[in-house]
Amino acid sequence: MVVDGLVPIGATIVAAPSKFGKSFFCLELSYAGAKGNKFLGRNTKNGEVLYLAFEDPEYRFSERMKMFQYDDCDDLIVCAVCFVLIETFESFAIW
């Protein structure tokens, strides 16, 4: 388990209505897993975390890291997926 009794090892999808706090929940979860800190009072397994941000650009993720006063973490990898896909689509549209 990545988080004891809560998140299994492997891919995890978090889904909820808009403005429900998914991004903040996932930031807390990702950072805790990457650092080996407790999450919601549960132990985590320290390891590399790939955070795929489908709605937020990387700068917003960085702003939230600063807001929570999180230090940089080499084991937390952030990819702003929607913006990569949009840029790829736009490059094909130019053709």
Side-chain angles (χ1 to χ4, degrees):
M1 295 296 254
V2 175
V3 178
D4 287 344
L6 187 64
V7 180
I9 292 175
T12 300
I13 296 174
V14 175
S18 180
K19 304 295 180 193
F20 212 70
K22 298 178 296 291
S23 295
F24 289 105
F25 178 85
C26 289
L27 171 59
E28 292 275 342
L29 172 61
S30 299
Y31 188 78
K35 297 293 264 187
N37 298 340
K38 287 191 178 275
F39 178 73
L40 299 176
R42 299 168 186 251
N43 293 326
T44 63
K45 181 178 180 180
N46 175 266
E48 289 185 331
V49 175
L50 175 61
Y51 184 103
L52 300 176
F54 286 99
E55 297 176 352
D56 295 327
E58 285 189 55
Y59 77 85
R60 187 173 297 151
F61 190 87
S62 296
E63 288 173 354
R64 290 176 177 167
M65 290 283 287
K66 289 176 189 172
M67 182 173 64
F68 284 115
Q69 298 180 346
Y70 289 159
D71 56 344
D72 288 335
C73 181
D74 292 335
D75 288 335
L76 180 55
I77 303 157
V78 178
C79 180
V81 175
C82 71
F83 295 96
V84 171
L85 293 175
I86 289 169
E87 289 173 6
T88 302
F89 177 74
E90 287 175 350
S91 69
F92 283 118
I94 292 170
W95 276 70

